[in-house]
Amino acid sequence: HGNAASTDTYWDDELSGFEIWIVPRLFLALLSLVLIDWPCHILTNRCRGDGSNEQNLGGSDGLNQLPAPAPTTEQLILASSWSALVFFCRPFTNTLETMVLSVLLLITSADWVGCVNGQNSKVPLRANNSTTPCCIRSIAVGILSSIGIFVRFTFAFFALPAVVVYLVGKGGGGCRKDTKDDEERTRTFSAVINSLSHILFHTVLVTTGFVVVSCAFVAIDTRFYSQMSPLAV
């Protein structure tokens, strides 16, 4: 009780009502620029193919990217949305859910730029053949999924399609060129087995990240609420 009284005295003496009202909103407004607006900008540019490949930001001759691209419909809707202006500046669980989902979509869409940019090439953009970046992304997908579900259960319905597409893409079956080569067709079975092994491997990584973070959340919640009396809860 002494600690609770000292805590109440601290908040009463150190923070005014205006500070309690304005500081969380200002913090969330700035944080939403990084975790919502910036991912939205990257995702929409990937979808239309403008600057999706960081290696070609300057264009083939360095002049194609001089005019600033016009905002996409998605960017205009987000920038002018009344609900976005209201929710993203307040410490709501909806706001945190949107932030986690935006980052999750940013990670899961990294391998699928070529599939959605409307170009003739249907080969997904991949950084390299090393498994290290992919492993880190898969673990991050599991971690973000756990965070999002613990924030709001509805997060699972929004994140599930993105996670499924991400895992299927790891098998290379989501957007490959059609081949008419007979030698390639003779290796169809081995290719399918290889794709399934990659999907299973990354599914294990996603599950591992999800389970580890979920267990940590459960342990923290259990310890926190076990120290509180039923009347305090």
Side-chain angles (χ1 to χ4, degrees):
H1 294 288
N3 292 335
S6 61
T7 302
D8 294 339
T9 303
Y10 171 79
W11 288 112
D12 293 340
D13 295 341
E14 298 295 332
L15 293 178
S16 64
F18 178 79
E19 291 171 335
I20 296 175
W21 175 72
I22 197 64
V23 170
R25 286 163 172 76
L26 181 61
F27 173 74
L28 265 298
L30 296 176
L31 191 62
S32 66
L33 295 177
V34 179
L35 298 182
I36 297 178
D37 291 17
W38 179 70
C40 178
H41 173 75
I42 299 298
L43 288 170
T44 52
N45 284 343
R46 283 177 178 176
C47 290
R48 68 178 181 180
D50 293 341
S52 60
N53 189 345
E54 287 79 1
Q55 297 178 353
N56 295 322
L57 286 177
S60 58
D61 55 358
L63 299 177
N64 294 337
Q65 297 297 326
L66 286 179
T72 63
T73 303
E74 296 83 0
Q75 293 172 352
L76 291 176
I77 292 176
L78 178 64
S80 59
S81 172
W82 176 85
S83 59
L85 294 175
V86 171
F87 277 88
F88 297 163
C89 295
R90 286 167 171 79
F92 295 153
T93 56
N94 309 72
T95 305
L96 185 55
E97 178 188 27
T98 305
M99 292 179 178
V100 178
L101 182 63
S102 299
V103 178
L104 178 68
L105 293 176
L106 191 63
I107 294 176
T108 56
S109 66
D111 292 341
W112 291 86
V113 178
C115 299
V116 295
N117 63 7
Q119 299 176 0
N120 294 329
S121 175
K122 296 296 181 181
V123 179
L125 176 65
R126 300 185 186 274
N128 49 50
N129 295 326
S130 175
T131 59
T132 302
C134 294
C135 293
I136 295 176
R137 285 202 300 270
S138 297
I139 295 174
V141 168
I143 293 173
L144 291 172
S145 299
S146 176
I147 295 174
I149 290 177
F150 269 82
V151 171
R152 282 178 65 89
F153 182 75
T154 54
F155 178 89
F157 300 100
F158 300 114
L160 182 61
V163 174
V164 171
V165 171
Y166 173 79
L167 292 175
V168 172
K170 291 305 176 184
C175 102
R176 291 181 300 178
K177 289 182 177 179
D178 295 332
T179 177
K180 297 182 180 180
D181 190 87
D182 293 335
E183 295 182 0
E184 291 293 333
R185 290 178 177 177
T186 59
R187 296 196 294 268
T188 300
F189 180 76
S190 61
V192 170
I193 297 299
N194 185 54
S195 297
L196 292 177
S197 64
H198 280 83
I199 293 175
L200 179 61
F201 173 72
H202 286 280
T203 301
V204 171
L205 291 178
V206 172
T207 305
T208 301
F210 179 87
V211 171
V212 170
V213 176
S214 298
C215 290
F217 283 152
V218 171
I220 294 172
D221 284 353
T222 302
R223 181 169 182 176
F224 176 79
Y225 287 107
S226 63
Q227 295 176 351
M228 302 178 65
S229 63
L231 294 179
V233 177

